[in-house]
Amino acid sequence: MEERKLTVRSVERALDILLCFTRNDELGLTEIAVQIGLHKSTVHRLLSTLEEKGFVTRDRSTEKYRLGIKVWELSTHLAQSDDPATILFPAMKKLRDRLGETVSLYLREGNERLRIQAVQSTQAVRRVAPVGARLPLYVGASSKVLVAFATPEEQVELLNDPEWPDAVDRDYYMKQLQEIIECGYATSFEEREPGAAAISVPIFNRNGIITAALSVSGPVNRLSIEILDQYAPLLKEAAHDMGLMIS
């Protein structure tokens, strides 16, 4: 039993190491050890095993680690039949071609939102949206949509999160959520990123449960509040059609 516990603990620690790369493309040994709270010698042993199996790779010139080819190989075998990022990509591209701005798809994961798909703008000056980016739920159009249409219990849990920033007033935030529920979409102007504006709408599945947030974003000099309000019906229509594609 003790040996089994040690084996499970080793697996958990190895997975914790891999999860460090959800926010960083590359990390050094010390950075990883600090993030997961383990001694460097322990982390080094685990990294050596992960490197041997191809799950991480090490740059010999910088001694930095990156995700390895095995992670990519595993991802190619994901069940695409129920993967929203795959199913909704053609519809997202169609919306991008119609509006000319970057289109993104977000899921809620804990107290963060995760960008699982993006179609970049056709404009010369554009906002690049990297897939895999994790962003806080207390700021941004997509964040507010994901929270506005969450259950009351989930909203309370988020608002009571000890990491909730003091600069974001909870009462005002809840007022924003109510307005989003009433109009069916959210907008943001330089809330998270200087010079960027966005509009987001919820995607509900066939059971009426929110499964994702659909967003269009770009520079504030192109996306005024008037323009975003004009985009709202188009996004709602697209989101409705997308919701029929997923279970």
Side-chain angles (χ1 to χ4, degrees):
M1 180 64 71
E2 185 64 29
E3 182 179 351
R4 184 172 181 273
K5 287 183 179 179
L6 290 173
T7 302
V8 172
R9 177 62 64 84
S10 296
V11 172
E12 290 177 345
R13 289 173 170 176
L15 291 173
D16 285 340
I17 289 176
L18 293 177
L19 289 173
C20 288
F21 294 94
T22 59
R23 293 180 175 85
N24 303 91
D25 291 335
E26 61 177 23
L27 291 164
L29 172 62
T30 301
E31 293 171 303
I32 296 172
V34 170
Q35 283 196 34
I36 64 176
L38 290 176
H39 195 278
K40 286 197 294 184
S41 61
T42 302
V43 174
H44 184 266
R45 289 196 300 271
L46 292 168
L47 282 168
S48 296
T49 301
L50 289 170
E51 184 178 10
E52 181 181 345
K53 295 294 185 180
F55 287 94
V56 299
T57 182
R58 177 164 53 101
D59 187 325
R60 297 300 193 274
S61 62
T62 64
E63 291 300 314
K64 295 280 189 177
Y65 291 87
R66 289 176 173 269
L67 291 177
I69 192 68
K70 284 298 180 182
V71 175
W72 180 82
E73 289 179 359
L74 286 174
S75 70
T76 63
H77 294 286
L78 285 171
Q80 296 188 354
S81 61
D82 56 2
D83 175 23
T86 301
I87 296 171
L88 301 182
F89 181 79
M92 292 174 64
K93 186 176 183 298
K94 183 178 179 181
L95 183 63
R96 188 280 313 271
D97 292 342
R98 186 173 185 179
L99 300 180
E101 301 292 354
T102 296
V103 178
S104 300
L105 187 68
Y106 293 93
L107 298 182
R108 179 182 175 184
E109 193 168 274
N111 285 344
E112 295 178 310
R113 58 177 160 124
L114 173 66
R115 185 183 291 121
I116 64 167
Q117 187 60 278
V119 186
Q120 307 300 338
S121 168
T122 57
Q123 305 281 352
V125 178
R126 58 189 176 185
R127 179 175 179 269
V128 177
V131 173
R134 290 178 176 272
L135 303 167
L137 279 177
Y138 53 78
V139 65
S142 295
S143 291
K144 288 181 286 188
V145 160
L146 289 170
V147 177
F149 295 95
T151 65
E153 292 77 16
E154 290 172 328
Q155 292 177 353
V156 169
E157 180 183 355
L158 173 65
L159 292 170
N160 290 332
D161 186 345
E163 294 187 9
W164 182 278
D166 294 334
V168 181
D169 182 81
R170 288 173 170 81
D171 292 335
Y172 178 68
Y173 184 85
M174 290 300 295
K175 181 181 178 182
Q176 286 183 302
L177 297 187
Q178 186 57 45
E179 292 173 350
I180 292 166
I181 293 171
E182 292 172 359
C183 69
Y185 67 95
T187 58
S188 63
F189 295 89
E190 300 185 296
E191 288 187 9
R192 189 186 62 82
E193 183 180 336
I199 180 172
S200 182
V201 297
I203 297 178
F204 299 102
N205 65 15
R206 295 167 187 156
N207 298 319
I209 299 172
I210 185 170
T211 58
L214 177 67
S215 171
V216 170
S217 60
V220 291
N221 62 344
R222 284 204 305 264
L223 298 182
S224 64
I225 184 62
E226 292 78 16
I227 294 295
L228 293 184
D229 286 341
Q230 292 174 23
Y231 284 177
L234 301 177
L235 264 73
K236 288 181 180 180
E237 180 183 358
H240 175 266
D241 293 342
M242 291 180 185
L244 298 177
M245 302 177 191
I246 53 181
S247 58

